[in-house]
Amino acid sequence: MKKIALSALLVSLLSACGTVKNGPTTTTFTGLDSANATAAPASAAASTPSSAVKQVEADALDDPKGALASRSVYYPFDVDVVQAADRPLVAAHAKYLSEHPARQVKLEGNADERGSNEYNLALGQRRADGVKKLLVVGGAKDGQLSTASYGEEKPKAAGHNEAAWQQNRRTDIKYQGK
Amino acid sequence: MLRLIGWMALLCLALPVQAALNIEIVGAGERQIPIVIPAFEGEDKLKQGLTSVVAADLVRTGLFKLVDPAGKSPHTPQEVNYAQWAGVEALVVGRTRQQANGRTEVEFYLVDGVKQIQLLGQLVSGHEEQLRGIAHRISDMVYEKLTGVPGVFSTRITYVNRDQGKFRLVVADCDGYGEQTVFASDEPIMSPAWSPDGSHLAYVSFEPGHAVVYVQSLVTGQRMVVAKFKGTNSAPAWSPDGQQLAVVLSRDGSSQIYLGRADGSGFRRLSFSDAIDTEPSFSPDGQSLLFTSDRGGSPQIYRMSVDGGVAERLTFDGGNNFSPRYSPDGKGFVFAHLSGGRFYIATQDFESKQMQFLTEGGWEKHPSFAPNGKLVLFATEGQGRGILSTVSSDGRVKQRMSAQTGDIREPVWGPFLK
């Protein structure tokens, strides 16, 4: 219990100072390495005047294993509410956007083909708008976000089957310029 | 619920090799008129046959049975020897003459084989490239004379062709010939809608990065933006007088129906549901709108006044219902029904509230009536591709037309040309 509290304190200290790349006592506590790794993106992203640190700054968006690597939200049939499983993903993007106010995101809603093209266009729009609302709740600014729907017009997967349909019921979070 | 199946005959038409579409007809009317259409005199010297087009037009309706002239070739009513045509109820005969000014003159007659009298006699002329159009005019006159209903053979259709990420908005003759690309894009094109006089198309294009409604002149090719608010702008529908445009906008939240002028000004909100309200279709008298809404939990068909107000739910049958369109007489509507993973084309009339299936089901979407109300055009699939199909409004006769490339989507039958 004490260990956890200590490591949490250390992580927050590391995050706060933002310049420490090699923690002084990293071997002291178990669990710190992984915690440190998690903290690293935030640390790197924090603005700092130090040019020495700037060289090692990495955009969390570019981390293929990071929380922002996944950019698609999936839905059951004819549903536009973000499912519980995808909420942490949306929250992670919201946090990133709140910390990077210059970033712009286009949310593109899509639907499977089981509906009229126009109904699916409206459904895709509701999906994109639903993700937008969650991003705003999570700290993103309205001005960073635009939405569009492609309905069933741009299917990722072809075929009249659930395997294809589930890939097509989707909102894509598209960072502009990325 | 009445399922009209029972196709009675299978008929394949041989078409010229340069055909843009392959046409296959299934089914037949209960009683067919035996008709003979011998080649017109001089027709073999023309660039385009006439009688083959007339025959294809008439057979497609399911109301006619083509009789082989067996070598006999009368060209005028006087040349018809009725004794040779036992059982033939109608004959179309004629002559063609190529004139010095490059025009072709076509003289044709419709003869009643039973009463042995002439029903029609007409002289039509036009340029070489108008020969198919002349043949369709002849079909219209023959059809109207024999059935009492105006023919639709001179009308046009529009659809979207999607081929490997390229989209084309196409206008073609209603038999699929004479394809013309109206607009092409690397982004999707959706929901074409004919202006009531057939001079303009409204449609949705995604070229600005989201769905935006455009209106384009088919005469000058000029196009203009009519609805480009944030989010989705879609589902354009013209009022019968051509003055107003209903569209679906998501600018105030969920997709809702708005009504404005045809130039895109003055849009005001008509529906207030917080659900999806889309696919408006004007009644022929311009007083009501049919539309699709999921306000009751699943997508169903509703009707409301063009002044707004309370909407009445019209479909209750198990499954989802989409894409309503009024019949030209305003007494009912055609729509797409989804149940058990299949789409069907169905009709329902306002009085009986009975739903009638016109098709056996498959991937069948986006129906629209021919302007005489006798045929329904819709999108279906053949060999894994989107193709055009028609079905007679009683469900008896079905026709499929497959393009040589790409998927055909969202077809709409155009109005009578004035």
Side-chain angles (χ1 to χ4, degrees):
Chain A
M1 201 55 209
K2 200 179 177 189
K3 263 186 182 175
I4 295 165
L6 267 171
S7 69
L9 176 68
L10 186 57
V11 166
S12 63
L13 278 170
L14 286 168
S15 303
C17 75
T19 51
V20 182
K21 294 314 292 173
N22 301 303
T25 52
T26 50
T27 54
T28 314
F29 304 106
T30 55
L32 182 63
D33 282 350
S34 61
N36 198 10
T38 312
S43 149
S47 60
T48 162
S50 159
S51 59
V53 171
K54 251 186 184 168
Q55 289 175 355
V56 295
E57 269 182 27
D59 191 330
L61 278 182
D62 298 328
D63 180 358
K65 288 175 186 161
L68 305 177
S70 176
R71 312 251 167 102
S72 293
V73 175
Y74 294 89
Y75 305 85
F77 172 62
D78 202 13
V79 167
D80 57 61
V81 176
V82 176
Q83 302 298 288
D86 283 331
R87 282 180 176 256
L89 164 73
V90 177
H93 285 281
K95 182 167 184 294
Y96 176 83
L97 285 166
S98 70
E99 289 162 354
H100 298 78
R103 279 260 177 251
Q104 299 279 322
V105 156
K106 186 183 176 197
L107 303 164
E108 293 183 355
N110 298 272
D112 75 31
E113 58 186 358
R114 287 174 297 166
S116 62
N117 298 29
E118 278 290 349
Y119 182 81
N120 285 331
L121 190 64
L123 179 60
Q125 185 67 45
R126 282 181 74 99
R127 286 174 174 163
D129 288 343
V131 173
K132 181 181 170 179
K133 264 180 209 159
L134 275 189
L135 288 174
V136 170
V137 166
K141 293 281 172 289
D142 192 83
Q144 290 176 278
L145 309 168
S146 67
T147 61
S149 173
Y150 286 99
E152 61 168 89
E153 293 294 317
K154 284 189 168 180
K156 196 187 223 175
H160 304 315
N161 54 66
E162 179 54 28
W165 292 333
Q166 68 180 11
Q167 290 189 63
N168 297 334
R169 295 187 299 262
R170 197 178 77 249
T171 296
D172 289 329
I173 301 169
K174 292 197 168 173
Y175 284 86
Q176 303 300 288
K178 275 279 167 184
Chain B
M1 230 165 29
L2 178 64
R3 253 171 222 266
L4 283 175
I5 46 171
W7 311 119
M8 291 158 69
L10 186 100
L11 190 61
C12 289
L13 286 182
L15 286 161
V17 282
Q18 71 272 25
L21 299 157
N22 296 313
I23 298 177
E24 172 202 331
I25 299 169
V26 182
E30 207 159 55
R31 203 197 79 79
Q32 294 180 299
I33 300 171
I35 191 167
V36 67
I37 311 173
F40 291 172
E41 187 180 274
E43 188 183 339
D44 54 342
K45 297 184 194 74
L46 302 178
K47 238 186 171 178
Q48 163 71 53
L50 296 170
T51 48
S52 57
V53 176
V54 175
D57 282 345
L58 296 177
V59 166
R60 195 175 307 130
T61 67
L63 300 177
F64 298 89
K65 184 170 181 273
L66 205 59
V67 176
D68 183 356
K72 302 185 285 290
S73 56
H75 300 306
T76 62
Q78 293 73 33
E79 289 175 18
V80 174
N81 178 356
Y82 291 100
Q84 294 180 325
W85 303 102
V88 172
E89 293 179 24
L91 297 93
V92 179
V93 297
R95 299 193 278 218
T96 67
R97 275 180 298 277
Q98 283 173 287
Q99 296 172 319
N101 59 5
R103 290 174 76 85
T104 303
E105 194 175 74
V106 183
E107 170 194 351
F108 83 94
Y109 303 91
L110 172 63
V111 178
D112 186 323
V114 179
K115 291 180 187 150
Q116 307 192 353
I117 52 166
Q118 178 185 322
L119 298 174
L120 271 178
Q122 282 269 349
L123 202 60
V124 197
S125 77
H127 286 290
E128 208 167 51
E129 68 272 17
Q130 296 172 312
L131 288 170
R132 287 195 73 89
I134 289 174
H136 289 315
R137 285 296 302 140
I138 294 171
S139 304
D140 283 336
M141 287 185 265
V142 169
Y143 179 87
E144 181 160 8
K145 193 73 194 173
L146 295 176
T147 67
V149 176
V152 293
F153 308 108
S154 301
T155 60
R156 293 183 294 171
I157 59 174
T158 183
Y159 52 83
V160 177
N161 181 295
R162 179 175 73 180
D163 193 7
Q164 295 171 356
K166 303 278 184 193
F167 295 81
R168 286 187 302 125
L169 179 62
V170 172
V171 167
D173 295 346
C174 77
D175 62 357
Y177 286 81
E179 232 194 33
Q180 287 178 301
T181 299
V182 172
F183 175 66
S185 176
D186 292 340
E187 292 293 326
I189 302 169
M190 274 179 67
S191 303
W194 290 94
S195 67
D197 66 359
S199 68
H200 290 73
L201 285 179
Y203 58 90
V204 175
S205 167
F206 289 72
E207 66 203 89
H210 61 131
V212 168
V213 179
Y214 293 80
V215 166
Q216 183 166 342
S217 166
L218 294 177
V219 182
T220 66
Q222 194 186 0
R223 62 199 295 262
M224 63 176 209
V225 170
V226 291
K228 191 183 181 182
F229 302 96
K230 67 171 183 150
T232 289
N233 306 267
S234 64
W238 301 79
S239 64
D241 64 5
Q243 299 298 303
Q244 290 180 298
L245 213 53
V247 295
V248 169
L249 308 176
S250 71
R251 67 177 190 189
D252 299 321
S254 193
S255 291
Q256 296 283 294
I257 297 165
Y258 294 72
L259 190 60
R261 286 183 282 279
D263 66 0
S265 64
F267 282 118
R268 64 190 168 86
R269 188 169 168 181
L270 274 194
S271 70
F272 293 85
S273 73
D274 285 338
I276 291 171
D277 291 346
T278 189
E279 303 186 300
S281 162
F282 277 92
S283 60
D285 66 6
Q287 296 304 302
S288 309
L289 288 171
L290 293 175
F291 62 99
T292 306
S293 176
D294 69 343
R295 58 182 68 190
S298 67
Q300 300 293 342
I301 314 288
Y302 292 76
R303 178 170 57 180
M304 66 189 275
S305 162
V306 289
D307 302 322
V310 183
E312 171 196 4
R313 181 169 166 176
L314 300 174
T315 53
F316 297 91
D317 219 299
N320 296 339
N321 296 297
F322 303 94
S323 312
R325 277 185 185 259
Y326 275 95
S327 60
D329 65 8
K331 290 177 178 169
F333 58 100
V334 67
F335 58 103
H337 171 82
L338 172 67
S339 62
R342 290 167 78 81
F343 276 97
Y344 303 78
I345 303 302
T347 55
Q348 184 168 313
D349 70 76
F350 294 118
E351 201 180 297
S352 74
K353 296 189 167 75
Q354 272 241 319
M355 180 171 162
Q356 176 182 325
F357 284 89
L358 301 186
T359 63
E360 295 164 286
W363 214 257
E364 299 168 338
K365 285 182 164 189
H366 211 264
S368 64
F369 275 103
N372 68 357
K374 293 296 177 190
L375 289 167
V376 171
L377 175 70
F378 58 97
T380 185
E381 278 199 339
Q383 283 144 16
R385 291 194 296 124
I387 62 170
L388 293 170
S389 192
T390 62
V391 61
S392 57
S393 52
D394 61 5
R396 286 181 197 280
V397 186
K398 207 180 203 177
Q399 177 200 347
R400 293 154 71 89
M401 298 181 265
S402 47
Q404 282 168 344
T405 55
D407 286 310
I408 288 180
R409 299 164 67 79
E410 311 228 282
V412 188
W413 209 310
F416 281 124
L417 296 174
K418 298 273 157 39

